[in-house]
């Protein structure tokens, strides 16, 4: 497609709009009745993932038209440019190469003519050595005691990835280590993280791509003060208790961390795509370098699938296009991700940054306002808890909410034997929900149960709520990597079709600038005249409540 042609003025877009009219309110009950094979035909296998998209509101024609849209918008060309290391993040003039972070040692990926893979593996090797020294007890703190507590200080992409993955892979972690993740500039976060820790046994990992993020620098400074006070030591204690993960050696040094204790990454790694880089150090310490490598190999497997699988079998392409179908043609505003695993409790929060920071854009790559829907609101929590909270609205509310259900055939390997039997109940719920959402319960079925007529409308389920089911044998490090890469590339596909830059995040800047201006108003009462009437009054009220 000529990039100047507006997406919603292309023939492919028009064909989808017409098709949507023809499809009307065709019910999934009809689609399954017409095609007895649908439940097996609309499935894909990618690595260890089994994807069932039969409960989506699509036909063969819908899928073909969506693939035509992808072809016309150059998704494959942009994908290839990304893998080649071209600077597809145009507003920041950067390559987008998180895929290089999980490339095998002998791969060649060039940025500005230089193969970056050796540097990626050199850092992974250093991380591996360091992780082993902590895990074995060889690395000791300032007083000679073994490190038992790891506190990662970072925010956004420097927090959500390792925090999510540590939770997901707890059963693979060294249970003698305590891991905590501090992100919020609310002092309560750091307070709760360190209050019961012995400073002599605590390592702080300061994770920040830029090393200028105010929340992280503030928390890191407070953590250093806490440590030195607890140890009754001077600056010399820092070296044994602080390491940095960053692209900014200068700022790391300014902070007082020796660059010998810094693990670097590069500007072609976006924050929300960074947990395969040095940002994953806390996770690597928890699960060990080998398990970390298994996770990276899981990512790489899906990278290769995305790069090489034909459109009909390409899972990230499919998931991306389904999201476009719902958001742009069926008026869905949000997308629920509902894992049926307690260990994936932070999975959706992680995806929120991945998806919403990437595709929460309203101008295209050329800077023109878009007049089509872009990224959805992504939300969700582990499934069974949601069933007793917000699923009511998905089942019987007025909104269309496409959802992904993620589940595993086996519980984690170290689950107490007495709890293993509960897994079938969990998974029965998993399957029951997508069944109920798709097929609902008709008024006739309700009446046949002898329900009084006045209650029939209340007990009727319209059904026809679209879901994708993703099933894997077990939540292993590799499977986690496969899942995350699947969503990364799904987000990529959508950004490519919408012609937006999925790799910048200018929208978070304004709030940061304003916070810097407001802080002196709160602390010293200066500068209030620059504020709008509402914010000024709120600042005055705050100061009064603080007795200032
Ligand atoms: O929220 C904006 C953002 O820049 C994210 O993209 C990033 O993950 C986060 O802040 C943290 O940034 P840094 O790693 O530079 O501290």
């Amino acid at each position: 497609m000529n990039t100047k042609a507006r997406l919603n003025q292309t023939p492919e877009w028009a064909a989808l709009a017409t098709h949507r009219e023809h499809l009307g309110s065709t019910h999934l009950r009809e689609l399954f009745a017409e095609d007895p094979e649908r439940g097996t035909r609309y499935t894909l296998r990618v690595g260890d993932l089994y994807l069932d998209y039969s409960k989506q509101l699509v036909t063969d024609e819908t899928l073909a038209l969506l693939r035509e849209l992808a072809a016309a918008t150059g998704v494959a060309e942009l994908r290839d440019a990304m893998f080649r290391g071209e600077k597809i993040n145009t507003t920041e003039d950067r390559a987008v190469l998180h895929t290089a972070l999980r490339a095998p040692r002998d791969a060649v990926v060039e940025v500005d003519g230089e193969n970056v893979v050796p540097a990626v593996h050199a850092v992974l090797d250093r991380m591996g050595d360091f992780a082993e020294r902590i895990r074995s007890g060889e690395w000791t703190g300032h007083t000679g005691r073994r490190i038992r507590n790891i506190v990662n200080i970072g925010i956004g992409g420097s927090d959500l990835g390792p925090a999510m993955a540590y939770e997901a892979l707890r059963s693979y972690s060294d249970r003698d280590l305590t891991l905590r993740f501090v992100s919020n500039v609310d002092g309560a976060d750091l307070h709760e993280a360190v209050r019961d820790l012995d400073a002599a046994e605590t390592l702080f990992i300061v994770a920040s791509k830029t090393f200028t993020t105010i929340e992280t620098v503030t928390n890191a400074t407070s953590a250093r003060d806490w440590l030195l006070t607890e140890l009754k030591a001077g600056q010399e204690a820092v070296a044994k208790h602080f390491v940095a993960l960053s692209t900014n050696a200068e700022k790391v040094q300014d902070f007082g961390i020796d660059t010998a204790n810094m693990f670097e990454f590069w500007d072609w790694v976006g924050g929300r795509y960074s947990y395969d880089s040095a940002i994953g150090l806390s996770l690597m310490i928890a699960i060990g370098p080998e398990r970390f490598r298994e996770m990276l190999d899981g990512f790489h497997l899906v990278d290769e699938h995305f790069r090489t699988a034909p459109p009909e079998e390409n899972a990230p392409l499919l998931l991306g296009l389904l999201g476009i179908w719902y958001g742009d043609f069926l008026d869905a505003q949000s997308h629920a991700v509902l894992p049926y695993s307690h260990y994936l409790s932070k999975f959706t929060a992680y995806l929120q940054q991945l998806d919403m920071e990437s595709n929460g854009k309203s101008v295209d790559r050329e800077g023109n306002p878009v007049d089509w829907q872009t990224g959805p609101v992504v939300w969700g929590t582990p499934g069974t808890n949601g069933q007793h909270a917000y699923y009511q609205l998905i089942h019987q509310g007025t909104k269309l909410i496409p959802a992904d259900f993620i589940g595993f055939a086996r519980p984690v390997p170290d689950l107490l034997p007495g709890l293993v039997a509960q897994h079938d109940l969990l998974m029965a719920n998993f399957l029951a929900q997508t069944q109920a959402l798709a097929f609902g319960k008709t008024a006739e079925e309700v009446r046949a149960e002898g329900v009084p007529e006045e209650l029939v409308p209340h007990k009727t389920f319209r059904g026809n709520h679209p879901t994708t089911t993703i099933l894997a044998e077990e939540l292993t490090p590799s499977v986690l990597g496969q899942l995350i890469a699947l969503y990364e590339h799904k987000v990529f596909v959508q950004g490519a079709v919408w012609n937006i830059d999925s790799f910048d995040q200018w929208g978070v800047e304004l709030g940061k600038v304003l916070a810097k201006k407001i802080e002196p108003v709160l602390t010293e009462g200066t500068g209030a005249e620059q504020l709008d009437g509402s914010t000024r009054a709120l600042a005055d009220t705050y100061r009064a409540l603080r007795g200032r």
Side-chain angles (χ1 to χ4, degrees):
M1 189 184 75
N2 173 352
T3 51
K4 296 294 169 217
R6 304 291 291 161
L7 173 64
N8 57 358
Q9 287 161 19
T10 58
E12 292 78 13
W13 189 274
L16 278 159
T18 308
H19 171 69
R20 187 249 177 281
E21 294 308 317
H22 289 159
L23 203 61
S25 52
T26 307
H27 202 286
L28 279 166
R29 282 194 288 262
E30 295 164 57
L31 296 176
F32 271 85
E34 277 165 20
D35 178 6
E37 305 298 318
R38 188 178 168 99
T40 48
R41 205 163 64 82
Y42 277 20
T43 61
L44 280 176
R45 273 185 197 276
V46 181
D48 297 309
L49 310 178
Y50 176 83
L51 257 90
D52 173 347
Y53 57 101
S54 63
K55 297 189 184 89
Q56 294 290 354
L57 302 173
V58 292
T59 61
D60 288 355
E61 190 183 354
T62 325
L63 295 169
L65 291 173
L66 285 166
R67 285 193 291 265
E68 280 169 27
L69 182 70
T73 49
V75 174
E77 289 77 7
L78 193 70
R79 174 198 64 196
D80 295 345
M82 171 176 78
F83 277 96
R84 274 199 305 271
E86 285 178 29
K87 296 191 175 169
I88 64 163
N89 175 1
T90 48
T91 70
E92 294 181 318
D93 193 28
R94 285 177 181 167
V96 174
L97 270 182
H98 42 280
T99 51
L101 298 171
R102 50 261 192 163
R105 217 173 263 278
D106 57 358
V108 177
V109 184
E110 292 189 348
V111 179
D112 293 329
E114 192 192 329
N115 180 14
V116 297
V117 177
V120 165
H121 279 269
V123 174
L124 283 170
D125 290 344
R126 275 189 66 221
M127 289 165 65
D129 287 348
F130 182 74
E132 290 296 17
R133 289 175 76 193
I134 297 285
R135 286 164 66 84
S136 66
E138 187 194 327
W139 179 286
T140 53
H142 179 64
T143 65
R145 299 251 293 279
R146 175 180 188 152
I147 297 295
R148 296 180 195 280
N149 315 309
I150 316 290
V151 181
N152 186 82
I153 299 178
I155 196 163
S158 299
D159 164 70
L160 290 164
M164 175 277 295
Y166 168 63
E167 207 55 45
L169 301 176
R170 253 178 201 267
S171 58
Y172 293 87
S173 71
D174 179 341
R175 299 281 195 172
D176 292 332
L177 291 171
T178 296
L179 264 87
R180 303 228 167 119
F181 294 85
V182 173
S183 53
N184 199 327
V185 75
D186 182 343
D189 200 0
L190 182 60
H191 169 79
E192 290 300 331
V194 299
R195 56 182 289 281
D196 58 348
L197 299 185
D198 183 340
E201 299 181 346
T202 301
L203 175 78
F204 290 97
I205 298 180
V206 187
S208 177
K209 179 175 167 179
T210 56
F211 231 80
T212 56
T213 304
I214 192 85
E215 292 88 340
T216 300
V217 174
T218 306
N219 275 327
T221 307
S222 301
R224 187 178 52 193
D225 293 347
W226 173 83
L227 182 101
L228 300 184
T229 307
E230 290 284 308
L231 294 183
K232 298 184 182 58
Q235 194 63 25
E236 71 285 355
V238 170
K240 288 298 204 150
H241 293 270
F242 276 80
V243 298
L245 321 174
S246 190
T247 59
N248 193 340
E250 206 181 310
K251 291 277 176 201
V252 167
Q253 219 158 12
D254 289 352
F255 180 84
I257 297 177
D258 188 339
T259 44
N261 292 338
M262 169 178 155
F263 298 86
E264 72 163 329
F265 58 113
W266 308 271
D267 75 355
W268 40 263
V269 181
R272 53 194 172 272
Y273 298 87
S274 67
Y275 98 80
D276 291 342
S277 71
I279 292 295
L281 183 65
S282 53
L283 174 69
M284 191 192 267
I285 293 172
I287 64 173
E290 270 176 43
R291 295 297 194 184
F292 195 85
R293 186 67 239 174
E294 283 171 29
M295 184 187 75
L296 296 185
D297 290 344
F299 273 92
H300 181 65
L301 185 154
V302 174
D303 292 344
E304 285 303 283
H305 164 84
F306 179 49
R307 200 171 63 79
T308 60
E312 300 73 28
E313 292 159 29
N314 199 306
L317 180 71
L318 172 76
L319 295 187
L321 292 175
L322 287 171
I324 286 167
W325 175 236
Y326 294 117
D328 289 291
F329 297 94
L330 292 168
D331 300 327
Q333 295 289 319
S334 78
H335 184 93
V337 180
L338 308 166
Y340 277 65
S341 164
H342 188 69
Y343 290 100
L344 289 184
S345 61
K346 295 187 174 166
F347 188 75
T348 310
Y350 172 79
L351 291 188
Q352 282 179 328
Q353 188 199 14
L354 175 65
D355 200 324
M356 295 166 79
E357 199 167 76
S358 295
N359 285 343
K361 310 287 164 63
S362 53
V363 295
D364 66 15
R365 287 175 163 271
E366 289 77 38
N368 309 303
V370 298
D371 41 12
W372 48 87
Q373 288 292 315
T374 61
V377 175
V378 176
W379 61 283
T381 52
T384 40
N385 296 2
Q387 285 174 212
H388 295 273
Y390 51 78
Y391 274 39
Q392 165 66 34
L393 186 145
I394 310 182
H395 281 289
Q396 286 189 316
T398 53
K399 294 176 175 55
L400 173 67
I401 302 178
D404 295 347
F405 280 67
I406 302 170
F408 303 92
R410 293 179 193 279
V412 295
D414 66 347
L415 196 72
L416 284 176
L419 298 174
V420 170
Q422 288 183 210
H423 196 72
D424 292 329
L425 179 58
L426 171 72
M427 293 307 284
N429 274 279
F430 173 75
L431 295 179
Q433 288 299 324
T434 56
Q435 187 187 15
L437 286 166
F439 304 109
K441 194 171 183 183
T442 63
E444 292 68 43
E445 287 167 339
V446 176
R447 280 193 196 100
E449 289 175 352
V451 170
E453 196 54 32
E454 67 275 18
L455 286 183
V456 169
H458 299 278
K459 296 198 165 191
T460 299
F461 288 68
R462 188 174 76 253
N464 223 22
H465 300 290
T467 59
T468 298
T469 300
I470 303 176
L471 185 62
E473 184 180 338
E474 204 175 307
L475 180 55
T476 60
S478 169
V479 165
L480 181 69
Q482 294 172 43
L483 278 171
I484 299 294
L486 181 68
Y487 280 96
E488 283 178 350
H489 297 318
K490 170 203 158 166
V491 167
F492 175 91
V493 167
Q494 296 186 333
V497 171
W498 289 323
N499 190 29
I500 56 179
D501 187 336
S502 299
F503 302 100
D504 61 15
Q505 58 284 317
W506 300 108
V508 298
E509 294 305 320
L510 179 61
K512 290 186 193 172
V513 173
L514 294 181
K516 275 195 190 141
K517 285 193 179 153
I518 292 174
E519 199 191 354
V521 181
L522 302 184
T523 51
E524 291 145 31
T526 54
E529 65 289 348
Q530 300 169 27
L531 303 179
D532 65 88
S534 163
T535 311
R536 191 168 56 237
L538 286 165
D540 285 347
T541 308
Y542 173 86
R543 281 178 59 79
L545 289 170
R546 292 291 306 263
R548 289 180 182 151

